[in-house]
Amino acid sequence: MGQPLRGADVDKNNSGEIKPNDGKDDSNSGETKPDGGEDDSNSGETKPEPVKAALAEGVTYENVDKLMIAVPGKEFSILATEVTQELYKSVMGENPSNFKEEKNFPVEQVSWYDAVYFCNKLSDMFGFTPVYAVDGEPDVEKWSYAPHKGNIITGTVSQDENANGYRLPTMEEWQYAAKGGQDYKYSGSDNLDEVGWCRENSEDKTHPVAQKAPNGYRLYDMSGNVFEWCWDSDGHGSNFRYFCGGCWGDYAYYRVNNLGFRIVRSTGK
């Protein structure tokens, strides 16, 4: 489906209350702090921005932690970018995306079921406890589900809130991270063109992640590139799931070329 991209306003309720921390390196966390990471005051040299340096190197499941940003004031970290096609293929073994023109394009043409399947597979690769289960079974090989085929998971999908594996953000987590501790109309700016790919500037296609400016937490493309699946359902049936970046939802089997996802992981567990 060739729907044009849209930019998303950020819900500004309670925004601006949490400011980014000082960005100092936390050697115990192994996660990136939300500073610019560019100026090295000790050497007088300019270092590459960590996210862009990681993307230039190539992000697969082996070094995905280089893109995980610890969210100030919350017990979760979030991927600085949308899941890229390279990262997705390194976990799933295939790339279902429509747009494959350049490196670091966001993955799209993935259903909500594909996204939770990906999260559990990635968790297994690191020895983390998988977050999702189907009828109580966390092993994706026992879900009787084939990704990217347009089918559905017939059982009940549940999440273990105490698990330390990768998962989809809740809408509340996504909105909090999108604000970036700031009070802008969009994620990182009042000018959508500075921070997001939208109908007016996208040329009706996706673009490599992290080409626009990030928000205050160093998160990219939260107001435009692809929509992003979240965990939440509408409360009337688990088959209807929400996605952000546009803040509405559709059925979990929905697959389109401007819909992808980013991942989070709970910390302190």
Side-chain angles (χ1 to χ4, degrees):
M1 298 176 63
Q3 299 179 10
L5 304 185
R6 303 175 177 87
D9 290 6
V10 174
D11 177 6
K12 296 196 287 185
N13 293 334
N14 299 319
S15 63
E17 294 181 357
I18 302 297
K19 299 297 182 182
N21 64 12
D22 58 11
K24 294 179 180 178
D25 178 47
D26 184 346
S27 58
N28 295 322
S29 70
E31 295 168 342
T32 303
K33 295 294 184 179
D35 69 334
E38 297 180 357
D39 179 44
D40 186 338
S41 58
N42 294 323
S43 67
E45 298 178 355
T46 299
K47 291 185 176 181
E49 198 278 327
V51 170
K52 292 189 177 182
L55 289 168
E57 175 186 338
V59 176
T60 67
Y61 74 90
E62 296 175 305
N63 61 350
V64 66
D65 276 353
K66 290 186 177 181
L67 290 189
M68 296 300 291
I69 302 289
V71 177
K74 297 292 182 178
E75 292 189 345
F76 70 93
S77 59
I78 186 168
L79 201 68
T81 71
E82 294 143 344
V83 171
T84 64
Q85 295 175 21
E86 183 176 31
L87 172 57
Y88 190 86
K89 186 175 180 179
S90 76
V91 175
M92 302 288 278
E94 59 182 317
N95 177 12
S97 303
N98 178 62
F99 298 107
K100 301 177 183 178
E101 299 178 27
E102 297 179 34
K103 184 178 180 180
N104 295 323
F105 268 51
V107 70
E108 20 87 6
Q109 296 278 35
V110 288
S111 70
W112 184 87
Y113 298 122
D114 297 334
V116 298
Y117 191 104
F118 170 94
C119 288
N120 269 28
K121 283 203 70 171
L122 181 59
S123 297
D124 284 338
M125 289 175 170
F126 281 93
F128 296 145
T129 302
V131 172
Y132 301 114
V134 175
D135 293 336
E137 176 55 65
D139 185 353
V140 296
E141 300 300 326
K142 299 179 181 178
W143 286 4
S144 299
Y145 175 72
H148 319 132
K149 305 301 182 184
N151 57 333
I152 66 173
I153 293 176
T154 56
T156 299
V157 182
S158 60
Q159 69 169 347
D160 180 357
E161 295 182 356
N162 295 314
N164 64 352
Y166 292 96
R167 58 182 176 83
L168 297 176
T170 65
M171 288 186 67
E172 181 180 2
E173 289 171 331
W174 192 98
Q175 286 282 359
Y176 186 95
K179 292 171 189 172
Q182 300 167 314
D183 192 18
Y184 292 120
K185 182 178 182 180
Y186 303 103
S187 181
S189 177
D190 285 328
N191 182 350
L192 177 57
D193 190 57
E194 293 179 353
V195 294
W197 297 104
C198 58
R199 187 191 305 271
E200 287 74 21
N201 64 14
S202 69
E203 298 179 343
D204 292 333
K205 64 180 181 179
T206 62
H207 292 262
V209 298
Q211 299 298 299
K212 297 289 188 176
N215 73 3
Y217 293 162
R218 309 303 297 178
L219 306 178
Y220 292 86
D221 298 313
M222 298 197 82
S223 282
N225 203 355
V226 293
F227 296 123
E228 302 176 16
W229 284 115
C230 292
W231 161 254
D232 305 65
S233 70
D234 67 352
H236 300 291
S238 61
N239 205 28
F240 192 88
R241 297 287 172 170
Y242 287 97
F243 46 84
C244 287
C247 297
W248 63 78
D250 217 310
Y251 292 98
Y253 52 79
Y254 188 63
R255 299 168 64 246
V256 68
N257 61 18
N258 62 356
L259 176 55
F261 66 106
R262 76 178 68 212
I263 54 177
V264 303
R265 195 166 79 84
S266 299
T267 55
K269 295 188 178 187

